[in-house]
Amino acid sequence: MSALPLLKPALLDLLEELPFSVTGLGATEMRLLELIASGYYRTNALFHLRGLRQRRVFSDWEIGSLLEGLAHGPRPAIAGLDDELRRP
């Protein structure tokens, strides 16, 4: 690992995205729920405030898919998220 110093943090970040056994959610999904619970309910803020998200595994487009799954999946974890994520 000493030859590739950035590999260990990248692997740890990826491992944290595996679904947690209790909730079935990864670290980024949990962080998004924390942000929503603290008042960031507009998708624009959730997409563009990368420093606030504190997670760097997913791109903005992938964040949209995660939010869509949390808001519009078979068992939604959040309600009232603005409809910018809905697909036709």
Side-chain angles (χ1 to χ4, degrees), residues 1 11 13-14 28 37 53 62 71:
M1 289 297 242
L11 286 175
D13 284 347
L14 286 173
T28 299
R53 281 198 316 248
E62 293 165 324

Side-chain angles (χ1 to χ4, degrees), residues 72-84:
H72 308 299
R75 298 187 68 180
I78 53 176
L81 197 66
D82 53 8
D83 286 336
E84 294 174 28

